[in-house]
């Protein structure tokens, strides 16, 4: 028997392992089974190379729990270890046999399992004692038992073991009893070992017979040793990919497309990525990609390894070239990871382009489910934008699809304004903006539909990308102003008339938002009053809602413009009626205002070039007095006009029509509108 100290420099390595090295204790099982798989693969490699003769026998790895003895055992029939190897590989912790093995056989193509780092010693995270029984495949090798109770002292002695391979027995500590439960072990095996390349048995197959469950004498294999991504794409059918998807994500809608990745150089990477249907709420779709390292499950959080937008995809990526035992921030700067990331981006873009070219009809059909993903990619990854600009689609309010180029050609002639800016008109809600869409189309304009979750950002992005263009929502201006082509025609209402109508309408506007009245000299047949919302303000608010760091805008009340058509017959009628009803009273006030105004102008002129302290107190007092009088008269004037407005039903009716065509007339107001309409008719 041999006693010794493990080659570590501190007495306290085990408590450190326990507490700090792995936040997730459960990964010990992955590490032990990886070692077992490793040993089995090495045996197969040796056999393939002819260094080992004869039948390899059963290579199944077995996991057993003994609740009485409180042990968990992992047994393999791999290459095993001699006493010298135990010394070297187990006792000298820093030494990795895998490296040496790789060195020796590095030009062989057979896969050799990579490794994760601390490996075997992670079993001390859950054990008070660990035993290894092992017998090497080498001729004449003697079986040995190694034992260690968590102090750096170990025991090594000869043991009875007939069968080649290694058995690791964990005596679980009292905090880790969970790992003796069947369901817990099954859960871990399913999570980490589901696609390992060597069969792993846990428990026995069961069968229902005569109304009760009986155990059969047949191992229950928990893993799929040849998962889909390791197979040749040429051998696989569409159904195979769909089935694999539903195995990975039960109860999720069928995916739209898939990509089978298979890279050998400059790094090794295989995998299958799926495009899920994403309509909204994309946050919950993130992080469904599973990352494997030679079929060993590592994580389902691939942030930092693939670009942000690709985390929306589903599926598996398997690469021995992704460094796994390092921090995320390190990953992002790792050059291999960068290469992998840009390679996947390219592959994804190429695949999309290929589908677009080969089957545009199908691509269009799936576009609504794909577009959030593509827009996200285009906004966040320049490389992806460059490629995707060839196949990304615009959809118009008719449900027709166009590439960016096609669309530009379509609207170029009719939608370029007098400053040579190309105006892309869009709607975000076909029903709510119906009236605006119609009037734009009646003018021969085309209107795009941007009703997606990311569209506010996407539009901003496109405006930066496209040359001299602007995106304008159909309801942000009256139709004549959406695309300004020549200068305005004359207004039938004078400036003074327009100013007088402001208080007439103002008093009748709803109080739940900010409204400001403007006049436009539109066509006589355009509607008399329209409500529009400034493109800028609306976008800022939309983005604030999406969390673009614009909270300030989110808190502002909605503001709208009330656009009055100063050429419409009904507006002219309001002006006439106003003159009839208020003309005299207004005239009287204006007569009073006139001399005051003249007086004040005279005073202002006299003091124009003086500094404040040079103006005499007497003048200052007179100016103030005149100002007050004028204010007072103006208030009276305004009051007369707004009183008139509040009594004149046509004013309220016109405002309500404007609100109604913008979907803003609701509840009681709508009811009143209907009643008033009947009365007026
Ligand atoms: P790693 O697997 O990362 O090299 P480990 O600490 O897990 O590190 O294992 C150290 C070495 O011990 C392995 O490289 C291997 O040579 C040997 N070893 C561990 N488990 C087994 C096993 N089940 N069969 C044969 N050799 C093993």
């Amino acid at each position: 028997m041999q006693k010794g100290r493990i080659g570590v420099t501190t007495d306290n390595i085990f408590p450190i392992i326990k507490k700090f090295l792995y936040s997730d204790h459960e990964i010990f099982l992955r590490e032990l089974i990886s070692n077992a798989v490793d040993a089995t693969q090495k045996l197969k490699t040796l056999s393939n190379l002819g260094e080992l003769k004869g039948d390899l026998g059963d290579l199944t790895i077995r996991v057993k729990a003994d609740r009485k003895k409180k042990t968990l055992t992992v047994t393999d029939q791999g290459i095993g270890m001699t006493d010298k190897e135990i010394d070297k590989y187990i006792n000298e912790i820093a030494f990795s046999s895998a490296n040496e093995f790789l060195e020796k056989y590095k030009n062989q193509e057979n896969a050799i399992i990579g490794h994760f780092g601390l490996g075997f010693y992670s079993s001390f995270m859950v054990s008070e004692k660990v035993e290894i029984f092992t017998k090497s495949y080498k001729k004449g090798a003697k079986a040995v038992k190694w034992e260690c109770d968590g102090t750096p002292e170990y025991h090594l002695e000869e043991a009875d073991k007939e069968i080649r391979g290694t058995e690791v027995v964990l005596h679980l500590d009292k905090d880790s009893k969970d790992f003796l439960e069947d369901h817990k072990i099954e859960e871990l095996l399913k999570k980490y070992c589901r696609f390992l390349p060597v069969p792993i048995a846990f428990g026995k197959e069961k069968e229902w017979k005569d109304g009760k469950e009986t155990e059969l004498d047949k191992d229950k294999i928990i893993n799929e040793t040849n998962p889909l991504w390791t197979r040749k794409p040429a051998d696989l059918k569409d159904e195979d990919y769909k089935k694999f998807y539903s195995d990975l994500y039960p109860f999720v809608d069928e995916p739209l497309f898939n990509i089978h990745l298979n890279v050998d150089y400059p790094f090794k990477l295989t995998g299958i990525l799926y495009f899920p249907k994403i309509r909204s709420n994309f946050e919950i779709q993130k992080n469904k990609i599973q990352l494997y390292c030679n079929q060993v499950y590592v994580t389902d959080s691939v942030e930092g390894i693939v670009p942000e937008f690709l985390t929306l995809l589903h599926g598996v990526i398997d690469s021995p070239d992704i460094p796994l035992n390092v921090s995320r921030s390190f990953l992002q700067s790792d050059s291999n990871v960068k290469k992998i990331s840009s390679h996947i981006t390219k592959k994804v873009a190429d695949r999309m382009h290929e589908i677009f070219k080969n089957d545009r009809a199908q691509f269009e059909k799936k576009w609504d489910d794909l577009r959030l993903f593509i827009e996200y990619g285009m906004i966040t990854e320049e490389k992806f934008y460059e490629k995707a600009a060839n196949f990304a689609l615009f959809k118009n309010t008719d449900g027709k699809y166009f590439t960016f180029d096609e669309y530009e050609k379509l609207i170029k002639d009719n939608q370029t304004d007098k400053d040579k800016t190309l105006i892309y008109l869009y709607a975000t809600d076909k029903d709510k903006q119906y009236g605006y869409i119609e009037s734009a189309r009646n003018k021969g304009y085309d209107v795009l539909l941007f009703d997606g979750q990311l569209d506010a950002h996407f539009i901003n992005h496109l405006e930066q990308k496209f040359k001299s263009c602007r995106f304008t929502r159909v309801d942000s201006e009256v139709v004549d102003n959406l695309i300004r082509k020549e200068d305005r025609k004359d207004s039938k209402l004078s400036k003074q008339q327009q100013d007088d109508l402001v208080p007439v309408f103002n008093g009748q506007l709803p109080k739940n938002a900010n409204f400001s009245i403007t006049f436009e000299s539109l066509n006589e047949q355009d509607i008399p009053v329209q409500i529009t919302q400034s493109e800028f303000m609306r976008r800022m608010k939309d983005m604030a809602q999406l969390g673009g760091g614009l909270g300030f805008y989110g808190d502002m009340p909605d503001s709208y413009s009330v656009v009055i058509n100063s050429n419409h017959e009904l507006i002219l009628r309001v002006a006439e009626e106003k003159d009839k009803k208020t003309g005299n009273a207004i005239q009287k006030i204006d007569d009073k205002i006139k001399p005051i105004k003249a007086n004040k102008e005279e005073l202002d002129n006299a003091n124009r070039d003086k500094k404040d302290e040079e103006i005499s107190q007497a003048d200052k007092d007179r100016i103030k007095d005149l100002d007050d009088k004028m204010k007072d008269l103006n208030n009276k004037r305004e009051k007369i006009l707004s009183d008139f407005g509040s009594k004149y039903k046509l004013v309220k009716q016109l405002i309500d029509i404007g609100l109604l065509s913008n979907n803003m007339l609701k509840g009681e107001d709508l009811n009143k509108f209907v009643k008033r309409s009947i009365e007026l008719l």
Side-chain angles (χ1 to χ4, degrees):
M1 168 145 131
Q2 175 186 345
K3 274 191 179 186
R5 283 175 68 88
I6 294 165
V8 295
T9 48
T10 157
D11 276 358
N12 304 325
I13 185 85
F14 293 118
I16 294 175
I17 291 175
K18 264 192 187 157
K19 280 219 181 76
F20 301 114
L21 273 172
Y22 289 102
S23 49
D24 251 350
H25 280 183
E26 63 182 39
I27 59 101
F28 76 91
L29 193 58
R30 174 187 80 185
E31 298 295 301
L32 290 185
I33 294 182
S34 296
N35 281 347
V37 168
D38 220 343
T40 312
Q41 298 285 70
K42 285 174 184 169
L43 190 81
K44 284 198 220 164
T45 306
L46 290 172
S47 164
N48 289 340
L49 292 172
E51 293 200 10
L52 185 69
K53 302 272 180 305
D55 184 24
L56 297 180
D58 178 19
L59 293 177
T60 307
I61 293 166
R62 294 194 161 74
V63 180
K64 277 198 193 90
D66 186 325
R67 255 188 276 182
K68 273 200 207 103
K69 291 187 189 149
K70 305 194 174 60
T71 56
L72 187 64
T73 305
V74 176
T75 313
D76 67 63
Q77 283 147 91
I79 52 169
M81 285 176 274
T82 61
D83 51 352
K84 286 206 180 65
E85 285 164 337
I86 282 258
D87 231 8
K88 190 167 171 192
Y89 300 138
I90 301 296
N91 294 337
E92 289 172 36
I93 199 167
F95 226 87
S96 169
S97 66
N99 271 337
E100 196 178 292
F101 193 86
L102 271 173
E103 264 314 296
K104 195 167 168 200
Y105 298 110
K106 72 176 165 213
N107 296 324
Q108 310 301 330
E109 41 215 47
N110 287 11
I112 296 153
I113 282 281
H115 52 107
F116 291 95
L118 192 61
F120 165 73
Y121 278 98
S122 64
S123 47
F124 286 97
M125 295 190 300
V126 294
S127 315
E128 51 189 32
K129 185 168 90 177
V130 178
E131 295 163 319
I132 303 175
F133 298 86
T134 183
K135 187 175 175 185
S136 166
Y137 75 97
K138 287 175 187 158
K139 258 209 194 98
K142 288 200 177 102
V144 282
K145 175 187 173 189
W146 177 93
E147 183 184 323
C148 177
D149 63 2
T151 61
E153 263 109 55
Y154 68 86
H155 297 256
L156 189 63
E157 62 191 24
E158 256 182 48
D160 284 339
K161 186 174 177 2
E162 290 293 312
I163 314 169
R164 173 202 71 224
T166 304
E167 180 167 304
V168 179
V169 184
L170 308 185
H171 297 261
L172 295 175
D173 62 31
K174 61 179 187 314
D175 296 333
S176 306
K177 297 280 149 56
D178 270 7
F179 297 117
L180 290 172
E181 302 296 329
D182 284 359
H183 70 90
K184 182 73 190 170
I185 299 168
E186 257 162 41
E187 178 197 318
L188 296 184
L189 292 175
K190 268 262 164 292
K191 180 167 170 188
Y192 291 112
C193 307
R194 190 166 171 192
F195 298 116
L196 283 176
V198 178
I200 296 158
F202 178 63
K204 297 284 177 191
E205 292 286 1
K206 287 178 185 144
E207 188 189 52
W208 280 94
K209 217 175 176 184
D210 308 326
K212 60 176 195 235
E213 208 176 32
T214 48
E215 223 169 60
L216 302 175
D217 187 30
K218 189 173 167 227
D219 287 326
K220 191 161 118 196
I221 303 297
I222 57 91
N223 58 329
E224 156 70 54
T225 53
N226 291 311
L228 212 63
W229 75 84
T230 62
R231 289 156 57 186
K232 281 205 206 84
D235 299 342
L236 299 171
K237 291 201 197 65
D238 216 28
E239 279 69 56
D240 298 321
Y241 288 106
K242 282 186 183 152
K243 167 143 193 330
F244 186 60
Y245 186 79
S246 68
D247 287 346
L248 286 177
Y249 314 102
F251 315 117
V252 174
D253 278 351
E254 263 190 17
L256 299 166
F257 309 109
N258 63 270
I259 304 182
H260 200 140
L261 299 163
N262 200 340
V263 193
D264 259 332
Y265 184 81
F267 47 83
K268 271 181 83 70
L269 179 121
T270 51
I272 300 173
L273 291 177
Y274 291 93
F275 294 79
K277 286 186 183 161
I278 310 170
R279 288 245 164 151
S280 58
N281 228 338
F282 65 90
E283 287 299 332
I284 58 164
Q285 305 273 6
K286 280 189 180 175
N287 276 324
K288 295 255 176 80
I289 298 181
Q290 304 181 352
L291 181 64
Y292 289 79
C293 178
N294 288 318
Q295 294 172 238
V296 185
Y297 173 85
V298 181
T299 175
D300 60 1
S301 151
V302 292
E303 279 163 84
I305 296 166
V306 303
E308 166 87 5
F309 81 103
L310 290 178
T311 62
L312 288 175
L313 297 183
H314 296 174
V316 293
I317 295 176
D318 187 338
S319 173
D321 289 332
I322 299 174
L324 297 166
N325 44 358
V326 296
S327 71
R328 299 249 153 218
S329 53
F330 181 85
L331 271 186
Q332 273 155 1
S333 57
D334 184 85
S335 71
N336 236 344
V337 171
K338 273 195 189 134
K339 268 186 237 149
I340 290 175
S341 164
S342 63
H343 179 83
I344 297 177
T345 306
K346 182 176 169 307
K347 277 280 168 209
V348 166
D350 289 348
R351 172 85 172 121
M352 302 260 87
H353 201 179
E354 179 191 306
I355 298 168
F356 169 78
K357 275 193 301 202
N358 297 342
D359 193 351
R360 175 149 175 181
Q362 197 208 160
F363 191 78
E364 287 187 0
K365 221 166 90 198
K366 295 181 174 171
W367 174 254
D368 290 346
D369 293 311
L370 264 180
R371 96 177 225 226
L372 193 69
F373 166 77
I374 291 183
E375 289 179 2
Y376 193 19
M378 291 179 85
I379 295 170
T380 52
E381 283 295 316
E382 183 53 29
K383 282 262 156 53
F384 187 74
Y385 181 94
E386 282 163 22
K387 292 194 165 255
N390 298 310
F391 57 76
L393 297 177
F394 281 143
K395 180 184 179 181
N396 74 4
T397 46
D398 263 350
K400 285 208 187 79
Y401 295 91
F402 307 86
T403 62
F404 292 176
D405 283 347
E406 288 163 359
Y407 197 72
E408 190 186 323
K409 281 200 193 90
L410 178 81
I411 61 169
K412 204 170 185 71
D413 288 340
N414 206 19
Q415 292 182 213
T416 304
D417 73 4
K418 63 181 164 61
D419 304 319
K420 304 250 178 327
T421 305
L422 187 59
I423 310 292
Y424 289 78
L425 298 179
Y426 70 96
T428 51
D429 187 319
K430 248 166 90 169
D431 293 328
K432 280 193 185 149
Q433 292 147 13
Y434 180 81
Y436 298 92
I437 297 172
E438 276 306 287
S439 38
R441 289 172 25 134
N442 287 339
K443 260 192 114 67
Y445 298 157
D446 193 80
V447 181
L448 293 171
L449 186 62
F450 275 120
D451 55 359
Q453 197 185 353
L454 278 184
D455 282 339
H457 285 289
F458 191 53
I459 286 169
N460 277 346
H461 199 72
L462 292 180
E463 275 177 348
Q464 287 159 28
K465 288 279 170 191
F466 291 179
K467 267 174 257 127
S468 45
C469 89
R470 200 170 61 235
F471 282 75
T472 303
R473 201 166 92 172
V474 273
D475 58 346
S476 63
E477 288 275 10
V478 294
V479 70
D480 278 358
N481 289 350
L482 282 173
I483 303 168
R484 291 189 195 253
K485 295 204 170 156
E486 73 273 344
D487 291 321
R488 287 265 68 92
K489 62 172 157 206
D490 292 339
S491 160
K492 290 189 180 164
L493 277 187
S494 68
K495 178 78 176 66
Q496 180 62 51
Q497 287 281 41
Q498 292 180 8
D499 288 348
D500 283 356
L501 286 187
V502 171
V504 171
F505 279 84
N506 236 345
Q508 298 299 305
L509 288 168
K511 305 281 180 274
N512 56 358
N514 284 336
F515 290 94
S516 60
I517 293 177
T518 60
F519 287 84
E520 291 286 349
S521 56
L522 305 172
N523 289 323
E524 283 135 46
Q525 57 277 16
D526 286 331
I527 72 168
V529 175
Q530 287 182 66
I531 314 286
T532 62
Q533 192 179 17
S534 124
E535 177 78 19
F536 174 77
M537 272 305 288
R538 207 206 58 250
R539 266 198 222 177
M540 290 303 147
K541 282 183 79 90
D542 284 354
M543 301 226 276
Q545 243 170 22
L546 279 176
L550 297 161
F552 159 73
Y553 288 102
D555 293 338
M556 305 255 293
D558 281 316
S559 348
Y560 298 92
S561 296
V562 178
V563 183
I564 298 182
N565 179 357
S566 63
N567 294 325
H568 196 279
E569 193 202 319
L570 288 171
I571 300 300
L572 299 178
R573 195 193 295 171
V574 174
E576 252 169 55
E577 189 68 16
K578 173 211 67 159
D579 287 343
K580 227 194 295 172
K581 292 271 161 63
T582 66
N584 282 341
I586 294 288
Q587 191 57 51
K588 269 188 206 147
I589 293 177
D590 285 350
D591 288 346
K592 282 186 196 156
I593 291 178
K594 216 172 172 184
I596 297 174
K597 218 174 164 183
N599 225 328
K600 187 170 177 274
E601 254 163 40
E602 205 176 291
L603 267 172
D604 281 346
N605 277 340
N607 290 309
R608 177 171 306 147
D609 297 326
K610 291 185 187 161
K611 288 186 187 147
D612 191 51
E613 59 270 22
E614 293 165 349
I615 302 173
S616 72
Q617 192 54 45
D619 272 6
K620 278 186 184 166
D621 290 345
R622 278 177 65 204
I623 292 173
K624 185 172 181 314
D625 181 50
L626 292 173
D627 274 345
D628 288 348
K629 277 193 179 128
M630 203 133 88
K631 214 193 219 159
D632 191 45
L633 286 166
N634 273 329
N635 283 343
K636 278 195 184 126
R637 196 178 187 283
E638 214 162 89
K639 173 109 184 17
I640 293 170
L641 291 168
S642 83
D643 281 351
F644 158 76
S646 67
K647 286 198 205 94
Y648 193 26
K649 281 190 186 141
L650 182 56
V651 171
K652 185 72 182 159
Q653 194 71 1
L654 286 168
I655 289 172
D656 280 359
I657 288 173
L659 291 168
L660 191 66
S661 60
N662 206 17
N663 261 299
M664 291 168 71
L665 196 63
K666 306 256 153 77
E668 197 188 342
D669 295 329
L670 183 59
N671 205 12
K672 282 186 183 157
F673 171 79
V674 172
K675 280 193 186 141
R676 197 179 329 109
S677 301
I678 295 166
E679 273 169 42
L680 286 170
L681 286 170

